[in-house]
Amino acid sequence: MSRAIGMVEFKSIPTGITAADKMVKTSEVDIVEAQTVCPGKYIAIITGDLSAVKAAVEAASTEYEYDLIDNFVLGNPHESLFPAIYGATSVDHVDALGILETFDVASLIEAADMAAKTAIVNVIELRLAKGMCGKSFMVITGEVSAVTASIEKAKQLSGEKGMFLDSSVIAHPDEKIIRTIL
């Protein structure tokens, strides 16, 4: 059994809730998060066996395609994604900070997974469209070169979907900034 994560993002709340129900009825998957996000969109994030997650995301995306904004399935997601989604990441030292912002949720999670797999970095936070007019952002840390490489790769991936908004890398951030982020 392969561990996987999948997500659907809809522009309509009723469609999103109905699609989330379809996903759990289609396959043996667990809901990680299913909720309304700004500006009145609905996301459903699921986990389970890779084939089950693929089937659930495909079923919801196909049946409710008219309201679908984006979706993804990631086989073997980086282990730092779940703590970052919940804001439960613990960081002892910050050499550099990387920040990337997107116009949607799905492309941000995919970009964060790519960033974490590109170099040795810690994903500190994934802020998923709550109170941000539908935009999302991630914060990563690690050595300057690793953070730079990871942000560039994440920027490329989210840019291919047309969802990249902005990014930056801060080498040796001031302690006052670190305290506001951590």
Side-chain angles (χ1 to χ4, degrees), residues 8 10 14-23 25-26 54-68 71:
V8 290
F10 290 96
T15 299
I17 294 170
T18 305
D21 181 66
K22 173 103 178 156
M23 289 195 310
K25 287 178 177 174
T26 298
K54 280 182 179 179
V57 168
E58 178 66 26
S61 299
T62 301
E63 185 156 337
Y64 305 102
E65 182 178 13
Y66 56 91
D67 275 339
L68 182 69
N71 66 16

mmCIF file with all atom_site columns, all heavy atoms in Angstrom, residues 8 10 14-23 25-26 54-68 71:
data_model
loop_
_atom_site.group_PDB
_atom_site.id
_atom_site.type_symbol
_atom_site.label_atom_id
_atom_site.label_alt_id
_atom_site.label_comp_id
_atom_site.label_asym_id
_atom_site.label_entity_id
_atom_site.label_seq_id
_atom_site.pdbx_PDB_ins_code
_atom_site.Cartn_x
_atom_site.Cartn_y
_atom_site.Cartn_z
_atom_site.occupancy
_atom_site.B_iso_or_equiv
_atom_site.pdbx_formal_charge
_atom_site.auth_seq_id
_atom_site.auth_comp_id
_atom_site.auth_asym_id
_atom_site.auth_atom_id
_atom_site.pdbx_PDB_model_num
ATOM 1   N N   . VAL A 1 8  ? -9.131  18.212 -3.905  1.00 0.00 ? 8  VAL A N   1
ATOM 2   C CA  . VAL A 1 8  ? -9.960  18.891 -4.895  1.00 0.00 ? 8  VAL A CA  1
ATOM 3   C C   . VAL A 1 8  ? -10.295 20.266 -4.338  1.00 0.00 ? 8  VAL A C   1
ATOM 4   O O   . VAL A 1 8  ? -10.434 20.446 -3.130  1.00 0.00 ? 8  VAL A O   1
ATOM 5   C CB  . VAL A 1 8  ? -11.266 18.111 -5.226  1.00 0.00 ? 8  VAL A CB  1
ATOM 6   C CG1 . VAL A 1 8  ? -10.957 16.838 -5.998  1.00 0.00 ? 8  VAL A CG1 1
ATOM 7   C CG2 . VAL A 1 8  ? -12.055 17.803 -3.975  1.00 0.00 ? 8  VAL A CG2 1
ATOM 8   N N   . PHE A 1 10 ? -12.915 23.521 -5.191  1.00 0.00 ? 10 PHE A N   1
ATOM 9   C CA  . PHE A 1 10 ? -14.073 23.924 -5.974  1.00 0.00 ? 10 PHE A CA  1
ATOM 10  C C   . PHE A 1 10 ? -14.436 25.374 -5.729  1.00 0.00 ? 10 PHE A C   1
ATOM 11  O O   . PHE A 1 10 ? -14.237 25.900 -4.631  1.00 0.00 ? 10 PHE A O   1
ATOM 12  C CB  . PHE A 1 10 ? -15.284 23.037 -5.641  1.00 0.00 ? 10 PHE A CB  1
ATOM 13  C CG  . PHE A 1 10 ? -15.142 21.630 -6.144  1.00 0.00 ? 10 PHE A CG  1
ATOM 14  C CD1 . PHE A 1 10 ? -14.678 20.626 -5.321  1.00 0.00 ? 10 PHE A CD1 1
ATOM 15  C CD2 . PHE A 1 10 ? -15.454 21.329 -7.456  1.00 0.00 ? 10 PHE A CD2 1
ATOM 16  C CE1 . PHE A 1 10 ? -14.529 19.330 -5.783  1.00 0.00 ? 10 PHE A CE1 1
ATOM 17  C CE2 . PHE A 1 10 ? -15.304 20.032 -7.934  1.00 0.00 ? 10 PHE A CE2 1
ATOM 18  C CZ  . PHE A 1 10 ? -14.850 19.036 -7.096  1.00 0.00 ? 10 PHE A CZ  1
ATOM 19  N N   . PRO A 1 14 ? -21.569 24.236 -2.054  1.00 0.00 ? 14 PRO A N   1
ATOM 20  C CA  . PRO A 1 14 ? -22.413 23.037 -2.152  1.00 0.00 ? 14 PRO A CA  1
ATOM 21  C C   . PRO A 1 14 ? -21.767 21.935 -3.009  1.00 0.00 ? 14 PRO A C   1
ATOM 22  O O   . PRO A 1 14 ? -21.811 20.758 -2.640  1.00 0.00 ? 14 PRO A O   1
ATOM 23  C CB  . PRO A 1 14 ? -23.704 23.553 -2.791  1.00 0.00 ? 14 PRO A CB  1
ATOM 24  C CG  . PRO A 1 14 ? -23.756 24.996 -2.402  1.00 0.00 ? 14 PRO A CG  1
ATOM 25  C CD  . PRO A 1 14 ? -22.322 25.451 -2.422  1.00 0.00 ? 14 PRO A CD  1
ATOM 26  N N   . THR A 1 15 ? -21.161 22.327 -4.128  1.00 0.00 ? 15 THR A N   1
ATOM 27  C CA  . THR A 1 15 ? -20.493 21.341 -4.977  1.00 0.00 ? 15 THR A CA  1
ATOM 28  C C   . THR A 1 15 ? -19.317 20.714 -4.241  1.00 0.00 ? 15 THR A C   1
ATOM 29  O O   . THR A 1 15 ? -19.103 19.502 -4.308  1.00 0.00 ? 15 THR A O   1
ATOM 30  C CB  . THR A 1 15 ? -20.013 21.986 -6.289  1.00 0.00 ? 15 THR A CB  1
ATOM 31  O OG1 . THR A 1 15 ? -21.142 22.499 -6.984  1.00 0.00 ? 15 THR A OG1 1
ATOM 32  C CG2 . THR A 1 15 ? -19.292 20.978 -7.170  1.00 0.00 ? 15 THR A CG2 1
ATOM 33  N N   . GLY A 1 16 ? -18.547 21.525 -3.516  1.00 0.00 ? 16 GLY A N   1
ATOM 34  C CA  . GLY A 1 16 ? -17.399 21.006 -2.784  1.00 0.00 ? 16 GLY A CA  1
ATOM 35  C C   . GLY A 1 16 ? -17.782 19.986 -1.732  1.00 0.00 ? 16 GLY A C   1
ATOM 36  O O   . GLY A 1 16 ? -17.140 18.936 -1.608  1.00 0.00 ? 16 GLY A O   1
ATOM 37  N N   . ILE A 1 17 ? -18.826 20.270 -0.988  1.00 0.00 ? 17 ILE A N   1
ATOM 38  C CA  . ILE A 1 17 ? -19.279 19.333 0.049   1.00 0.00 ? 17 ILE A CA  1
ATOM 39  C C   . ILE A 1 17 ? -19.796 18.046 -0.596  1.00 0.00 ? 17 ILE A C   1
ATOM 40  O O   . ILE A 1 17 ? -19.490 16.937 -0.145  1.00 0.00 ? 17 ILE A O   1
ATOM 41  C CB  . ILE A 1 17 ? -20.339 19.986 0.947   1.00 0.00 ? 17 ILE A CB  1
ATOM 42  C CG1 . ILE A 1 17 ? -19.710 21.131 1.755   1.00 0.00 ? 17 ILE A CG1 1
ATOM 43  C CG2 . ILE A 1 17 ? -20.984 18.950 1.880   1.00 0.00 ? 17 ILE A CG2 1
ATOM 44  C CD1 . ILE A 1 17 ? -20.710 21.997 2.498   1.00 0.00 ? 17 ILE A CD1 1
ATOM 45  N N   . THR A 1 18 ? -20.554 18.188 -1.669  1.00 0.00 ? 18 THR A N   1
ATOM 46  C CA  . THR A 1 18 ? -21.079 17.019 -2.377  1.00 0.00 ? 18 THR A CA  1
ATOM 47  C C   . THR A 1 18 ? -19.949 16.186 -2.967  1.00 0.00 ? 18 THR A C   1
ATOM 48  O O   . THR A 1 18 ? -19.963 14.950 -2.902  1.00 0.00 ? 18 THR A O   1
ATOM 49  C CB  . THR A 1 18 ? -22.058 17.467 -3.487  1.00 0.00 ? 18 THR A CB  1
ATOM 50  O OG1 . THR A 1 18 ? -23.071 18.287 -2.902  1.00 0.00 ? 18 THR A OG1 1
ATOM 51  C CG2 . THR A 1 18 ? -22.701 16.281 -4.177  1.00 0.00 ? 18 THR A CG2 1
ATOM 52  N N   . ALA A 1 19 ? -18.937 16.855 -3.509  1.00 0.00 ? 19 ALA A N   1
ATOM 53  C CA  . ALA A 1 19 ? -17.779 16.156 -4.080  1.00 0.00 ? 19 ALA A CA  1
ATOM 54  C C   . ALA A 1 19 ? -16.980 15.438 -2.996  1.00 0.00 ? 19 ALA A C   1
ATOM 55  O O   . ALA A 1 19 ? -16.500 14.310 -3.216  1.00 0.00 ? 19 ALA A O   1
ATOM 56  C CB  . ALA A 1 19 ? -16.893 17.143 -4.833  1.00 0.00 ? 19 ALA A CB  1
ATOM 57  N N   . ALA A 1 20 ? -16.830 16.056 -1.827  1.00 0.00 ? 20 ALA A N   1
ATOM 58  C CA  . ALA A 1 20 ? -16.121 15.402 -0.718  1.00 0.00 ? 20 ALA A CA  1
ATOM 59  C C   . ALA A 1 20 ? -16.858 14.132 -0.297  1.00 0.00 ? 20 ALA A C   1
ATOM 60  O O   . ALA A 1 20 ? -16.237 13.090 -0.034  1.00 0.00 ? 20 ALA A O   1
ATOM 61  C CB  . ALA A 1 20 ? -15.974 16.367 0.459   1.00 0.00 ? 20 ALA A CB  1
ATOM 62  N N   . ASP A 1 21 ? -18.177 14.207 -0.269  1.00 0.00 ? 21 ASP A N   1
ATOM 63  C CA  . ASP A 1 21 ? -18.985 13.028 0.047   1.00 0.00 ? 21 ASP A CA  1
ATOM 64  C C   . ASP A 1 21 ? -18.772 11.941 -1.006  1.00 0.00 ? 21 ASP A C   1
ATOM 65  O O   . ASP A 1 21 ? -18.624 10.768 -0.687  1.00 0.00 ? 21 ASP A O   1
ATOM 66  C CB  . ASP A 1 21 ? -20.461 13.420 0.138   1.00 0.00 ? 21 ASP A CB  1
ATOM 67  C CG  . ASP A 1 21 ? -21.346 12.241 0.489   1.00 0.00 ? 21 ASP A CG  1
ATOM 68  O OD1 . ASP A 1 21 ? -21.209 11.721 1.614   1.00 0.00 ? 21 ASP A OD1 1
ATOM 69  O OD2 . ASP A 1 21 ? -22.167 11.846 -0.361  1.00 0.00 ? 21 ASP A OD2 1
ATOM 70  N N   . LYS A 1 22 ? -18.722 12.343 -2.260  1.00 0.00 ? 22 LYS A N   1
ATOM 71  C CA  . LYS A 1 22 ? -18.487 11.395 -3.365  1.00 0.00 ? 22 LYS A CA  1
ATOM 72  C C   . LYS A 1 22 ? -17.133 10.710 -3.188  1.00 0.00 ? 22 LYS A C   1
ATOM 73  O O   . LYS A 1 22 ? -17.012 9.503  -3.425  1.00 0.00 ? 22 LYS A O   1
ATOM 74  C CB  . LYS A 1 22 ? -18.539 12.139 -4.701  1.00 0.00 ? 22 LYS A CB  1
ATOM 75  C CG  . LYS A 1 22 ? -18.161 11.319 -5.896  1.00 0.00 ? 22 LYS A CG  1
ATOM 76  C CD  . LYS A 1 22 ? -19.374 10.928 -6.644  1.00 0.00 ? 22 LYS A CD  1
ATOM 77  C CE  . LYS A 1 22 ? -19.025 10.137 -7.880  1.00 0.00 ? 22 LYS A CE  1
ATOM 78  N NZ  . LYS A 1 22 ? -20.143 9.320  -8.268  1.00 0.00 ? 22 LYS A NZ  1
ATOM 79  N N   . MET A 1 23 ? -16.127 11.469 -2.777  1.00 0.00 ? 23 MET A N   1
ATOM 80  C CA  . MET A 1 23 ? -14.786 10.890 -2.633  1.00 0.00 ? 23 MET A CA  1
ATOM 81  C C   . MET A 1 23 ? -14.759 9.799  -1.570  1.00 0.00 ? 23 MET A C   1
ATOM 82  O O   . MET A 1 23 ? -14.196 8.729  -1.800  1.00 0.00 ? 23 MET A O   1
ATOM 83  C CB  . MET A 1 23 ? -13.757 11.985 -2.309  1.00 0.00 ? 23 MET A CB  1
ATOM 84  C CG  . MET A 1 23 ? -13.489 12.884 -3.482  1.00 0.00 ? 23 MET A CG  1
ATOM 85  S SD  . MET A 1 23 ? -12.023 13.932 -3.359  1.00 0.00 ? 23 MET A SD  1
ATOM 86  C CE  . MET A 1 23 ? -12.170 14.697 -1.800  1.00 0.00 ? 23 MET A CE  1
ATOM 87  N N   . LYS A 1 25 ? -17.212 8.060  -0.514  1.00 0.00 ? 25 LYS A N   1
ATOM 88  C CA  . LYS A 1 25 ? -18.073 6.944  -0.920  1.00 0.00 ? 25 LYS A CA  1
ATOM 89  C C   . LYS A 1 25 ? -17.457 6.145  -2.063  1.00 0.00 ? 25 LYS A C   1
ATOM 90  O O   . LYS A 1 25 ? -17.815 4.985  -2.255  1.00 0.00 ? 25 LYS A O   1
ATOM 91  C CB  . LYS A 1 25 ? -19.452 7.464  -1.342  1.00 0.00 ? 25 LYS A CB  1
ATOM 92  C CG  . LYS A 1 25 ? -20.296 7.934  -0.169  1.00 0.00 ? 25 LYS A CG  1
ATOM 93  C CD  . LYS A 1 25 ? -21.628 8.475  -0.648  1.00 0.00 ? 25 LYS A CD  1
ATOM 94  C CE  . LYS A 1 25 ? -22.515 8.872  0.520   1.00 0.00 ? 25 LYS A CE  1
ATOM 95  N NZ  . LYS A 1 25 ? -23.754 9.537  0.063   1.00 0.00 ? 25 LYS A NZ  1
ATOM 96  N N   . THR A 1 26 ? -16.548 6.742  -2.805  1.00 0.00 ? 26 THR A N   1
ATOM 97  C CA  . THR A 1 26 ? -15.923 6.080  -3.944  1.00 0.00 ? 26 THR A CA  1
ATOM 98  C C   . THR A 1 26 ? -14.835 5.111  -3.507  1.00 0.00 ? 26 THR A C   1
ATOM 99  O O   . THR A 1 26 ? -14.712 4.021  -4.047  1.00 0.00 ? 26 THR A O   1
ATOM 100 C CB  . THR A 1 26 ? -15.306 7.124  -4.910  1.00 0.00 ? 26 THR A CB  1
ATOM 101 O OG1 . THR A 1 26 ? -16.356 7.943  -5.414  1.00 0.00 ? 26 THR A OG1 1
ATOM 102 C CG2 . THR A 1 26 ? -14.567 6.475  -6.052  1.00 0.00 ? 26 THR A CG2 1
ATOM 103 N N   . LYS A 1 54 ? -6.385  8.199  -5.914  1.00 0.00 ? 54 LYS A N   1
ATOM 104 C CA  . LYS A 1 54 ? -6.549  8.517  -7.341  1.00 0.00 ? 54 LYS A CA  1
ATOM 105 C C   . LYS A 1 54 ? -7.999  8.343  -7.780  1.00 0.00 ? 54 LYS A C   1
ATOM 106 O O   . LYS A 1 54 ? -8.557  9.196  -8.462  1.00 0.00 ? 54 LYS A O   1
ATOM 107 C CB  . LYS A 1 54 ? -5.651  7.622  -8.209  1.00 0.00 ? 54 LYS A CB  1
ATOM 108 C CG  . LYS A 1 54 ? -4.228  8.046  -8.270  1.00 0.00 ? 54 LYS A CG  1
ATOM 109 C CD  . LYS A 1 54 ? -3.451  7.120  -9.204  1.00 0.00 ? 54 LYS A CD  1
ATOM 110 C CE  . LYS A 1 54 ? -2.007  7.529  -9.315  1.00 0.00 ? 54 LYS A CE  1
ATOM 111 N NZ  . LYS A 1 54 ? -1.238  6.630  -10.193 1.00 0.00 ? 54 LYS A NZ  1
ATOM 112 N N   . ALA A 1 55 ? -8.602  7.233  -7.382  1.00 0.00 ? 55 ALA A N   1
ATOM 113 C CA  . ALA A 1 55 ? -9.984  6.957  -7.777  1.00 0.00 ? 55 ALA A CA  1
ATOM 114 C C   . ALA A 1 55 ? -10.942 7.998  -7.192  1.00 0.00 ? 55 ALA A C   1
ATOM 115 O O   . ALA A 1 55 ? -11.852 8.474  -7.885  1.00 0.00 ? 55 ALA A O   1
ATOM 116 C CB  . ALA A 1 55 ? -10.395 5.552  -7.323  1.00 0.00 ? 55 ALA A CB  1
ATOM 117 N N   . ALA A 1 56 ? -10.745 8.374  -5.934  1.00 0.00 ? 56 ALA A N   1
ATOM 118 C CA  . ALA A 1 56 ? -11.631 9.347  -5.283  1.00 0.00 ? 56 ALA A CA  1
ATOM 119 C C   . ALA A 1 56 ? -11.510 10.727 -5.912  1.00 0.00 ? 56 ALA A C   1
ATOM 120 O O   . ALA A 1 56 ? -12.521 11.384 -6.196  1.00 0.00 ? 56 ALA A O   1
ATOM 121 C CB  . ALA A 1 56 ? -11.318 9.412  -3.793  1.00 0.00 ? 56 ALA A CB  1
ATOM 122 N N   . VAL A 1 57 ? -10.280 11.178 -6.148  1.00 0.00 ? 57 VAL A N   1
ATOM 123 C CA  . VAL A 1 57 ? -10.063 12.498 -6.763  1.00 0.00 ? 57 VAL A CA  1
ATOM 124 C C   . VAL A 1 57 ? -10.606 12.516 -8.186  1.00 0.00 ? 57 VAL A C   1
ATOM 125 O O   . VAL A 1 57 ? -11.266 13.475 -8.598  1.00 0.00 ? 57 VAL A O   1
ATOM 126 C CB  . VAL A 1 57 ? -8.573  12.900 -6.713  1.00 0.00 ? 57 VAL A CB  1
ATOM 127 C CG1 . VAL A 1 57 ? -8.297  14.119 -7.590  1.00 0.00 ? 57 VAL A CG1 1
ATOM 128 C CG2 . VAL A 1 57 ? -8.147  13.166 -5.273  1.00 0.00 ? 57 VAL A CG2 1
ATOM 129 N N   . GLU A 1 58 ? -10.384 11.453 -8.918  1.00 0.00 ? 58 GLU A N   1
ATOM 130 C CA  . GLU A 1 58 ? -10.877 11.365 -10.296 1.00 0.00 ? 58 GLU A CA  1
ATOM 131 C C   . GLU A 1 58 ? -12.404 11.386 -10.331 1.00 0.00 ? 58 GLU A C   1
ATOM 132 O O   . GLU A 1 58 ? -13.014 12.088 -11.151 1.00 0.00 ? 58 GLU A O   1
ATOM 133 C CB  . GLU A 1 58 ? -10.354 10.100 -10.972 1.00 0.00 ? 58 GLU A CB  1
ATOM 134 C CG  . GLU A 1 58 ? -10.855 9.886  -12.380 1.00 0.00 ? 58 GLU A CG  1
ATOM 135 C CD  . GLU A 1 58 ? -10.362 10.927 -13.371 1.00 0.00 ? 58 GLU A CD  1
ATOM 136 O OE1 . GLU A 1 58 ? -9.304  11.523 -13.153 1.00 0.00 ? 58 GLU A OE1 1
ATOM 137 O OE2 . GLU A 1 58 ? -11.063 11.144 -14.390 1.00 0.00 ? 58 GLU A OE2 1
ATOM 138 N N   . ALA A 1 59 ? -13.040 10.648 -9.439  1.00 0.00 ? 59 ALA A N   1
ATOM 139 C CA  . ALA A 1 59 ? -14.511 10.597 -9.408  1.00 0.00 ? 59 ALA A CA  1
ATOM 140 C C   . ALA A 1 59 ? -15.102 11.977 -9.126  1.00 0.00 ? 59 ALA A C   1
ATOM 141 O O   . ALA A 1 59 ? -16.022 12.426 -9.822  1.00 0.00 ? 59 ALA A O   1
ATOM 142 C CB  . ALA A 1 59 ? -14.985 9.596  -8.356  1.00 0.00 ? 59 ALA A CB  1
ATOM 143 N N   . ALA A 1 60 ? -14.574 12.658 -8.115  1.00 0.00 ? 60 ALA A N   1
ATOM 144 C CA  . ALA A 1 60 ? -15.092 13.989 -7.765  1.00 0.00 ? 60 ALA A CA  1
ATOM 145 C C   . ALA A 1 60 ? -14.792 15.010 -8.852  1.00 0.00 ? 60 ALA A C   1
ATOM 146 O O   . ALA A 1 60 ? -15.637 15.837 -9.198  1.00 0.00 ? 60 ALA A O   1
ATOM 147 C CB  . ALA A 1 60 ? -14.509 14.440 -6.436  1.00 0.00 ? 60 ALA A CB  1
ATOM 148 N N   . SER A 1 61 ? -13.608 14.955 -9.404  1.00 0.00 ? 61 SER A N   1
ATOM 149 C CA  . SER A 1 61 ? -13.198 15.924 -10.430 1.00 0.00 ? 61 SER A CA  1
ATOM 150 C C   . SER A 1 61 ? -13.985 15.763 -11.715 1.00 0.00 ? 61 SER A C   1
ATOM 151 O O   . SER A 1 61 ? -14.336 16.749 -12.362 1.00 0.00 ? 61 SER A O   1
ATOM 152 C CB  . SER A 1 61 ? -11.702 15.774 -10.716 1.00 0.00 ? 61 SER A CB  1
ATOM 153 O OG  . SER A 1 61 ? -10.948 16.022 -9.556  1.00 0.00 ? 61 SER A OG  1
ATOM 154 N N   . THR A 1 62 ? -14.254 14.534 -12.086 1.00 0.00 ? 62 THR A N   1
ATOM 155 C CA  . THR A 1 62 ? -14.995 14.265 -13.321 1.00 0.00 ? 62 THR A CA  1
ATOM 156 C C   . THR A 1 62 ? -16.464 14.639 -13.184 1.00 0.00 ? 62 THR A C   1
ATOM 157 O O   . THR A 1 62 ? -17.026 15.320 -14.037 1.00 0.00 ? 62 THR A O   1
ATOM 158 C CB  . THR A 1 62 ? -14.869 12.777 -13.704 1.00 0.00 ? 62 THR A CB  1
ATOM 159 O OG1 . THR A 1 62 ? -13.477 12.475 -13.862 1.00 0.00 ? 62 THR A OG1 1
ATOM 160 C CG2 . THR A 1 62 ? -15.609 12.474 -14.992 1.00 0.00 ? 62 THR A CG2 1
ATOM 161 N N   . GLU A 1 63 ? -17.085 14.208 -12.090 1.00 0.00 ? 63 GLU A N   1
ATOM 162 C CA  . GLU A 1 63 ? -18.516 14.456 -11.922 1.00 0.00 ? 63 GLU A CA  1
ATOM 163 C C   . GLU A 1 63 ? -18.843 15.941 -11.717 1.00 0.00 ? 63 GLU A C   1
ATOM 164 O O   . GLU A 1 63 ? -19.892 16.411 -12.126 1.00 0.00 ? 63 GLU A O   1
ATOM 165 C CB  . GLU A 1 63 ? -19.078 13.647 -10.755 1.00 0.00 ? 63 GLU A CB  1
ATOM 166 C CG  . GLU A 1 63 ? -20.588 13.818 -10.651 1.00 0.00 ? 63 GLU A CG  1
ATOM 167 C CD  . GLU A 1 63 ? -21.266 12.673 -9.949  1.00 0.00 ? 63 GLU A CD  1
ATOM 168 O OE1 . GLU A 1 63 ? -20.705 11.573 -9.906  1.00 0.00 ? 63 GLU A OE1 1
ATOM 169 O OE2 . GLU A 1 63 ? -22.372 12.900 -9.454  1.00 0.00 ? 63 GLU A OE2 1
ATOM 170 N N   . TYR A 1 64 ? -17.942 16.673 -11.067 1.00 0.00 ? 64 TYR A N   1
ATOM 171 C CA  . TYR A 1 64 ? -18.207 18.077 -10.744 1.00 0.00 ? 64 TYR A CA  1
ATOM 172 C C   . TYR A 1 64 ? -17.207 19.016 -11.432 1.00 0.00 ? 64 TYR A C   1
ATOM 173 O O   . TYR A 1 64 ? -16.840 20.054 -10.899 1.00 0.00 ? 64 TYR A O   1
ATOM 174 C CB  . TYR A 1 64 ? -18.196 18.273 -9.219  1.00 0.00 ? 64 TYR A CB  1
ATOM 175 C CG  . TYR A 1 64 ? -19.157 17.331 -8.541  1.00 0.00 ? 64 TYR A CG  1
ATOM 176 C CD1 . TYR A 1 64 ? -18.718 16.192 -7.893  1.00 0.00 ? 64 TYR A CD1 1
ATOM 177 C CD2 . TYR A 1 64 ? -20.534 17.562 -8.610  1.00 0.00 ? 64 TYR A CD2 1
ATOM 178 C CE1 . TYR A 1 64 ? -19.601 15.310 -7.297  1.00 0.00 ? 64 TYR A CE1 1
ATOM 179 C CE2 . TYR A 1 64 ? -21.427 16.682 -8.024  1.00 0.00 ? 64 TYR A CE2 1
ATOM 180 C CZ  . TYR A 1 64 ? -20.959 15.558 -7.371  1.00 0.00 ? 64 TYR A CZ  1
ATOM 181 O OH  . TYR A 1 64 ? -21.848 14.681 -6.799  1.00 0.00 ? 64 TYR A OH  1
ATOM 182 N N   . GLU A 1 65 ? -16.830 18.650 -12.630 1.00 0.00 ? 65 GLU A N   1
ATOM 183 C CA  . GLU A 1 65 ? -15.814 19.384 -13.394 1.00 0.00 ? 65 GLU A CA  1
ATOM 184 C C   . GLU A 1 65 ? -16.169 20.855 -13.611 1.00 0.00 ? 65 GLU A C   1
ATOM 185 O O   . GLU A 1 65 ? -15.296 21.723 -13.619 1.00 0.00 ? 65 GLU A O   1
ATOM 186 C CB  . GLU A 1 65 ? -15.612 18.692 -14.749 1.00 0.00 ? 65 GLU A CB  1
ATOM 187 C CG  . GLU A 1 65 ? -14.559 19.314 -15.605 1.00 0.00 ? 65 GLU A CG  1
ATOM 188 C CD  . GLU A 1 65 ? -14.353 18.561 -16.913 1.00 0.00 ? 65 GLU A CD  1
ATOM 189 O OE1 . GLU A 1 65 ? -15.189 17.702 -17.274 1.00 0.00 ? 65 GLU A OE1 1
ATOM 190 O OE2 . GLU A 1 65 ? -13.356 18.848 -17.567 1.00 0.00 ? 65 GLU A OE2 1
ATOM 191 N N   . TYR A 1 66 ? -17.445 21.155 -13.746 1.00 0.00 ? 66 TYR A N   1
ATOM 192 C CA  . TYR A 1 66 ? -17.888 22.527 -14.029 1.00 0.00 ? 66 TYR A CA  1
ATOM 193 C C   . TYR A 1 66 ? -17.552 23.506 -12.907 1.00 0.00 ? 66 TYR A C   1
ATOM 194 O O   . TYR A 1 66 ? -17.464 24.706 -13.146 1.00 0.00 ? 66 TYR A O   1
ATOM 195 C CB  . TYR A 1 66 ? -19.391 22.565 -14.338 1.00 0.00 ? 66 TYR A CB  1
ATOM 196 C CG  . TYR A 1 66 ? -20.259 21.970 -13.244 1.00 0.00 ? 66 TYR A CG  1
ATOM 197 C CD1 . TYR A 1 66 ? -20.768 22.755 -12.220 1.00 0.00 ? 66 TYR A CD1 1
ATOM 198 C CD2 . TYR A 1 66 ? -20.552 20.610 -13.244 1.00 0.00 ? 66 TYR A CD2 1
ATOM 199 C CE1 . TYR A 1 66 ? -21.554 22.204 -11.215 1.00 0.00 ? 66 TYR A CE1 1
ATOM 200 C CE2 . TYR A 1 66 ? -21.332 20.051 -12.240 1.00 0.00 ? 66 TYR A CE2 1
ATOM 201 C CZ  . TYR A 1 66 ? -21.824 20.851 -11.222 1.00 0.00 ? 66 TYR A CZ  1
ATOM 202 O OH  . TYR A 1 66 ? -22.585 20.302 -10.226 1.00 0.00 ? 66 TYR A OH  1
ATOM 203 N N   . ASP A 1 67 ? -17.361 23.041 -11.672 1.00 0.00 ? 67 ASP A N   1
ATOM 204 C CA  . ASP A 1 67 ? -17.003 23.918 -10.549 1.00 0.00 ? 67 ASP A CA  1
ATOM 205 C C   . ASP A 1 67 ? -15.576 23.682 -10.045 1.00 0.00 ? 67 ASP A C   1
ATOM 206 O O   . ASP A 1 67 ? -15.143 24.309 -9.086  1.00 0.00 ? 67 ASP A O   1
ATOM 207 C CB  . ASP A 1 67 ? -17.963 23.724 -9.373  1.00 0.00 ? 67 ASP A CB  1
ATOM 208 C CG  . ASP A 1 67 ? -19.228 24.560 -9.508  1.00 0.00 ? 67 ASP A CG  1
ATOM 209 O OD1 . ASP A 1 67 ? -19.216 25.547 -10.255 1.00 0.00 ? 67 ASP A OD1 1
ATOM 210 O OD2 . ASP A 1 67 ? -20.230 24.225 -8.840  1.00 0.00 ? 67 ASP A OD2 1
ATOM 211 N N   . LEU A 1 68 ? -14.846 22.783 -10.692 1.00 0.00 ? 68 LEU A N   1
ATOM 212 C CA  . LEU A 1 68 ? -13.494 22.432 -10.250 1.00 0.00 ? 68 LEU A CA  1
ATOM 213 C C   . LEU A 1 68 ? -12.501 23.542 -10.562 1.00 0.00 ? 68 LEU A C   1
ATOM 214 O O   . LEU A 1 68 ? -12.445 24.033 -11.690 1.00 0.00 ? 68 LEU A O   1
ATOM 215 C CB  . LEU A 1 68 ? -13.041 21.134 -10.932 1.00 0.00 ? 68 LEU A CB  1
ATOM 216 C CG  . LEU A 1 68 ? -11.670 20.594 -10.546 1.00 0.00 ? 68 LEU A CG  1
ATOM 217 C CD1 . LEU A 1 68 ? -11.678 20.083 -9.104  1.00 0.00 ? 68 LEU A CD1 1
ATOM 218 C CD2 . LEU A 1 68 ? -11.268 19.464 -11.497 1.00 0.00 ? 68 LEU A CD2 1
ATOM 219 N N   . ASN A 1 71 ? -6.989  20.233 -8.813  1.00 0.00 ? 71 ASN A N   1
ATOM 220 C CA  . ASN A 1 71 ? -6.881  19.008 -8.030  1.00 0.00 ? 71 ASN A CA  1
ATOM 221 C C   . ASN A 1 71 ? -5.467  18.465 -8.145  1.00 0.00 ? 71 ASN A C   1
ATOM 222 O O   . ASN A 1 71 ? -4.689  18.919 -8.979  1.00 0.00 ? 71 ASN A O   1
ATOM 223 C CB  . ASN A 1 71 ? -7.906  17.963 -8.481  1.00 0.00 ? 71 ASN A CB  1
ATOM 224 C CG  . ASN A 1 71 ? -7.643  17.460 -9.890  1.00 0.00 ? 71 ASN A CG  1
ATOM 225 O OD1 . ASN A 1 71 ? -6.576  17.628 -10.456 1.00 0.00 ? 71 ASN A OD1 1
ATOM 226 N ND2 . ASN A 1 71 ? -8.632  16.821 -10.468 1.00 0.00 ? 71 ASN A ND2 1
#
